[in-house]
């Protein structure tokens, strides 16, 4: 299973794990609630997983400008 990490705000690819042995428990995703899973994890037709997280650049921008969180697409 391939796992792609993408920034939820700017859509920058942060990283990719290509390993058939990796599990959601190893990635720490098993502890998410069902709502968090729907918000953070997506699967494509090839069985690849995309995990939407916040990159360092967007985290810094949001930390300095918290009002951006009120916008639908704050950093695009």
């Amino acid at each position: 299973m391939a796992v792609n990490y993408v920034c939820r705000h700017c859509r920058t690819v942060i990283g990719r794990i290509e390993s058939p042995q990796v599990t959601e428990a190893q990635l720490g995703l098993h502890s998410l609630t069902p709502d968090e899973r729907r918000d953070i994890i997506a699967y494509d037709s090839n069985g690849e997983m995309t995990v939407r997280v916040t990159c360092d650049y967007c985290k810094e921008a949001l930390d300095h400008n918290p009002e951006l969180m009120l916008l639908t697409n704050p950093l695009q």
Side-chain angles (χ1 to χ4, degrees):
M1 165 177 66
V3 181
N4 301 296
Y5 286 87
V6 178
C7 180
R8 67 185 319 104
H9 302 288
C10 68
R11 296 193 176 101
T12 297
V13 175
I14 298 169
R16 179 176 171 91
I17 299 172
E18 290 192 48
S19 174
Q21 295 91 354
V22 72
T23 66
E24 290 187 9
Q26 290 172 319
L27 299 174
L29 302 175
H30 66 289
S31 62
L32 297 174
T33 67
D35 286 339
E36 290 169 332
R37 290 182 71 75
R38 280 189 293 278
D39 185 46
I40 296 170
I41 302 171
Y43 296 91
D44 70 10
S45 59
N46 297 328
E48 291 190 2
M49 177 191 302
T50 298
V51 180
R52 292 185 301 268
V53 295
T54 302
C55 71
D56 291 340
Y57 171 80
C58 290
K59 181 182 179 334
E60 185 175 326
L62 291 167
D63 286 347
H64 286 82
N65 303 287
E67 69 277 3
L68 291 174
M69 289 301 290
L70 300 172
L71 303 174
T72 304
N73 294 312
L75 300 170
Q76 294 190 21

